């Protein structure tokens, strides 16, 4: 009896494994390869291309809707998305331009500019998520660098690194800690 039950359970388990059609693999590889080629050629924004690739996979039935949309229900992702909306509002209104230009002042050199930028960003990103902080600060840093006649390229890596440093100082400052 036990052997029969075990065999029946084993055959049910084998029957529940669904084999995908042979074309799913090549189709998926082709869609991903085309997406990467489009990303390299800057055909459209990464968000549009990746959502388009997901749409092709969903439309072909390679990925079911539950699996395809599962990642969008992550609380950390939704939190960061909400902060990006706030960042866009702050950026578009220019609400921080005046305050940040006063706080950053007028540096004498690129090294001075980097130091003036890194300290307040590290402090702010200790209490806010570092990704939206950088997103808010990029246009502000570009304007500030133009005003101070410093290459903005010399300020973007210090901006990112100070944001990461500040984010790791507290539990709420970085998206990995939110998840």
């Amino acid at each position: 009896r036990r052997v029969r039950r075990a065999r029946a359970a084993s055959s049910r388990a084998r029957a529940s494994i669904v084999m995908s059609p042979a074309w799913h693999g090549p189709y998926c590889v082709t869609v991903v390869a085309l997406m990467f080629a489009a990303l390299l050629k800057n055909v459209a924004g990464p968000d549009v291309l990746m959502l388009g690739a997901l749409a092709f996979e969903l439309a072909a039935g390679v990925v079911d809707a539950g699996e395809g949309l599962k990642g969008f229900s992550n609380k950390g992702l939704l939190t960061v998305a909400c902060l990006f909306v706030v960042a866009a509002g702050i950026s578009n209104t220019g609400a921080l331009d005046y305050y940040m230009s006063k706080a950053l002042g007028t540096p004498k050199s690129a090294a001075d500019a980097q130091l003036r930028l890194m300290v307040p960003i590290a402090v702010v990103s200790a209490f806010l998520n570092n990704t939206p902080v950088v997103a808010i600060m990029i246009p502000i840093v570009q304007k500030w660098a133009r005003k101070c006649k410093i290459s903005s390229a010399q300020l973007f890596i210090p901006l990112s690194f100070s944001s990461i440093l500040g984010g790791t100082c507290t539990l709420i400052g970085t998206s990995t800690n939110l998840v």
Side-chain angles (χ1 to χ4, degrees):
R1 235 181 221 176
R2 290 182 186 170
V3 173
R4 283 186 207 154
R5 286 183 192 161
R7 286 183 188 162
S10 172
S11 65
R12 279 194 303 267
R14 274 186 256 135
S16 68
I17 297 173
V18 178
M19 296 298 291
S20 62
W23 61 272
H24 279 191
Y27 177 81
C28 198
V29 169
T30 303
V31 169
V32 171
L34 289 172
M35 179 197 65
F36 278 128
L39 282 168
L40 288 173
K41 293 185 179 195
N42 286 327
V43 173
D47 52 343
V48 173
L49 292 174
M50 290 185 188
L51 282 174
L54 176 62
F56 277 113
E57 299 288 340
L58 288 170
V62 175
V63 177
D64 68 337
E67 287 178 356
L69 302 175
K70 186 187 245 180
F72 293 109
S73 65
N74 186 324
K75 290 180 183 178
L77 175 72
L78 294 175
T79 304
V80 172
C82 290
L83 288 172
F84 270 116
V85 171
V86 172
I90 289 172
S91 229
N92 290 338
T93 60
L96 284 181
D97 289 348
Y98 175 77
Y99 297 110
M100 286 310 293
S101 65
K102 291 295 181 194
L104 297 174
T106 308
K108 296 177 176 88
S109 65
D112 187 27
Q114 291 170 351
L115 186 63
R116 287 176 185 236
L117 177 67
M118 290 175 73
V119 173
I121 296 304
V123 171
V124 168
S125 67
F127 301 103
L128 295 175
N129 192 303
N130 54 4
T131 307
V133 167
V134 172
I136 291 170
M137 289 303 296
I138 285 175
I140 294 171
V141 167
Q142 286 174 328
K143 291 175 193 171
W144 181 60
R146 247 183 271 122
K147 186 182 97 177
C148 297
K149 295 183 174 96
I150 297 172
S151 172
S152 59
Q154 293 180 335
L155 301 175
F156 288 147
I157 293 296
L159 169 67
S160 175
F161 285 2
S162 64
S163 176
I164 292 168
L165 175 69
T168 56
C169 290
T170 62
L171 290 177
I172 60 174
T174 184
S175 58
T176 54
N177 291 341
L178 288 174
V179 176

